[in-house]
Structures are given as structure tokens and as C-alpha cells.
Amino acid sequence: MAHTEINTMTPRRDAQTTTFFERYEEPMARSLQVALLLFLALIFFLPIGGTLLTSIRTIPDITQNGAWAMPESYQWENLSTAFFQMLPYLKASVIITLPSVFGTLLVATMAGYSLSRMRFRGRIWMFLIIVSLSFVPVHTQLIPVFRLMSNIGLHDTFLAQIIVHIMRHIPFAVLIMTNFFNTVPGELREAARIDGANEWKIFQKIYVPVARPAISALIVLEFTWIWNDLLWGLVLTQGADRRPVTVGILSFQGEYEIAYNMVASGAVIAAIPTLAVFLIFQKHFIRGMTMGSVKG
């Protein structure tokens, strides 16, 4: 009896056969991407390199040779001089920034948990109102906030700056924490409720440890934004001992001339704390920014 043999083998692609895209276009696209990234990195680091060079030069060298020339001599003492002159401003920035970051995280974490896991009437509208406050231009708030702090006797105090920073940054932090808590399985809360845990215990013992990546990301962002703030430091302060480091850099600017090397040295010193915070929390930074971006 004749029978036909059926070939069940699927046709295999010849290993030597490649498409035009795989051979030419894909490597070219990757090369263009790398070149673009290197170009953007150069643009980003060029001002930083110029600031570093300016910080260790003398005023005659900058005046005669221009801002982008290589130093004739390296004046490393500029950094130490700027550090001791800016020390009061650095202390003020620490006093302002640390409570502001802590207060923002405390309120945003509890509010994010409540808006994500607790069901009550008006929850969605409350979330939308809080988030919409982040779109209010800061310049429209300068005069009302200044008059409010003056009327209640808080102008030219650390407390006024701390309150303003917390209120300004709560909407964004609530958005991040709410979206992050939406990604946490609800079964964790239900299991804890069955075991007899109250709402505070569930929040403190389960959700806060789980939210460590999002909290780390917010620490980096909030610390950077508050530390580098200049506007509120100018509006809400008068005394040098209560002005942040960003305002302190302006102290190197005289009435008729600017000490460019000292301004650059102050900028380098002011950038070190934010860089240190990022290096400490970089392990959780990217994860915290991406986990709360989508739900599921």
C-alpha cells in the first residue's frame, strides 16, 4: 500500500540569509542613537565643566583670557574660601530642606494611601483637586504668600520657608504615592485586616515598607528641588542667617563687579549635597519612578 510521507518539519530560515535592515539599517540606527546620546551628554556636561574650570581660576585670568580658556594657574583655595563664606547659608539650607522633605513625604504618603485604598465619597474629586494644584504658577502666589507670612509674623523665619515648600510640593508627591499604592495588591490589606490589624498598622507595617522605592525617588526629587530653590529664599527672607545657599551665592556679586571664580566655587559646593543624596538613593530611584507610572 503506497503511502506518502508527510514532512512535518517547518521550513528553517537560512542562517546566512539576512534582511537589508538587519545588515545595514539596524546597526546604523544604533550608531545614530549612541551619537545622539553622546552629543546630548556633551551639551549637558559642558556648562558643568566650564563651572569647574572657572572655580579654580583667578579674576585676571578670566578677564584676560575669557571664560572658556584653560587656567594659567590652579587656585584650589577658591573652594575653601567659598565654603567658609557660604557656611551660614549651607546651615540654613539644611534647616530648611530636611524638615520640608520629611513633612512632604509624611503628608503625601498618608494621603496617597488614603486616596488609593480607602473608599469614601468624593475621593476621586479630592485627588483631582490636589493634583491640579501643582499646575498653579508659582509667580501668582508670591504676593499673597508674602503678605500672609508678614501678617502672621512668620516673615524672615525658617518656618515660613518650610511651610511654603511643603505646601508647594505636596500635590506632586501625592500623585506619585497614590499611583504607586495603586500597584500594590489589595490582598495584602485584606489579609492584614483578617489578622486583626487596624488601618494605621496596615499603613505603617505593610504599605510604608513596600513603598520604599517610591519614597526614595521622592526624597531625591524633593531634596533637589527644595535645596536649589532661589525664589522663595529671596521673597521670604531678609537676614543672611536665614537665607538658603542659592541666595548665598549672590553674596559674591558686588555692586560694581562679580567675582566669577567665587560664584562658580559656590555653585560647585552647593551641588555636592544633591549629588550625594542621589548617589545614596540611586538604587531605588529608577524603580520608584517607573513602578507607579502604570497600574497593574
Side-chain angles (χ1 to χ4, degrees), residues 222-273:
E222 298 296 337
F223 186 93
T224 302
W225 292 336
I226 296 173
W227 182 273
N228 292 331
D229 178 75
L230 172 65
L231 186 60
W232 291 113
L234 290 173
V235 173
L236 297 177
T237 60
Q238 289 180 340
D241 56 338
R242 285 174 291 275
R243 288 190 160 183
V245 66
T246 49
V247 182
I249 296 176
L250 299 179
S251 63
F252 297 113
Q253 179 177 344
E255 184 176 357
Y256 300 104
E257 62 179 6
I258 301 175
Y260 293 104
N261 55 350
M262 301 306 295
V263 171
S265 298
V268 171
I269 294 172
I272 292 177

Side-chain angles (χ1 to χ4, degrees), residues 1-227:
M1 182 176 180
H3 64 277
T4 58
E5 184 177 341
I6 301 176
N7 185 11
T8 59
M9 298 291 292
T10 57
R12 293 185 304 173
R13 183 179 177 182
D14 189 0
Q16 301 297 327
T17 305
T18 56
T19 63
F20 178 82
F21 176 78
E22 292 174 340
R23 182 178 298 179
Y24 298 105
E25 293 187 10
E26 186 175 1
M28 186 180 299
R30 292 180 180 177
S31 300
L32 290 176
Q33 290 176 357
V34 173
L36 178 60
L37 291 175
L38 291 175
F39 177 71
L40 294 176
L42 177 63
I43 294 177
F44 179 79
F45 284 106
L46 194 61
I48 299 177
T51 302
L52 291 174
L53 287 177
T54 304
S55 66
I56 55 177
R57 298 173 63 187
T58 61
I59 293 296
D61 182 15
I62 298 173
T63 304
Q64 296 174 6
N65 301 322
W68 293 99
M70 293 299 295
E72 294 181 348
S73 61
Y74 295 92
Q75 303 292 325
W76 298 103
E77 60 270 16
N78 290 347
L79 296 173
S80 60
T81 302
F83 174 77
F84 287 109
Q85 187 168 340
M86 292 180 59
L87 194 57
Y89 303 103
L90 290 170
K91 294 179 180 178
S93 285
V94 172
I95 296 174
I96 295 168
T97 304
L98 294 184
S100 300
V101 173
F102 176 78
T104 302
L105 291 175
L106 179 63
V107 175
T109 304
M110 292 191 294
Y113 173 79
S114 301
L115 293 171
S116 174
R117 293 304 170 188
M118 301 179 68
R119 299 294 182 261
F120 53 89
R121 176 176 294 182
R123 178 176 60 93
I124 302 299
W125 285 105
M126 184 178 295
F127 173 75
L128 293 176
I129 291 174
I130 293 175
V131 173
S132 65
L133 293 176
S134 61
F135 299 102
V136 178
V138 64
H139 304 88
T140 63
Q141 306 172 15
L142 295 179
I143 296 178
V145 171
F146 173 80
R147 296 185 62 181
L148 174 63
M149 294 302 172
S150 300
N151 292 336
I152 63 178
L154 291 181
H155 184 260
D156 198 24
T157 63
F158 290 129
L159 183 59
Q161 300 179 71
I162 293 172
I163 293 174
V164 170
H165 284 308
I166 291 176
M167 300 307 297
R168 280 290 306 170
H169 293 280
I170 278 178
F172 175 79
V174 169
L175 173 64
I176 295 297
M177 294 307 302
T178 303
N179 288 338
F180 185 89
F181 284 136
N182 287 336
T183 64
V184 179
E187 289 78 5
L188 292 176
R189 181 168 177 263
E190 298 301 328
R193 292 290 294 266
I194 294 175
D195 291 338
N198 56 25
E199 207 68 55
W200 173 251
K201 288 294 183 181
I202 296 174
F203 168 75
Q204 182 184 12
K205 300 297 184 180
I206 298 178
Y207 276 80
V208 171
V210 170
R212 188 175 301 171
I215 294 175
S216 299
L218 280 178
I219 288 176
V220 175
L221 293 175
E222 298 296 337
F223 186 93
T224 302
W225 292 336
I226 296 173
W227 182 273

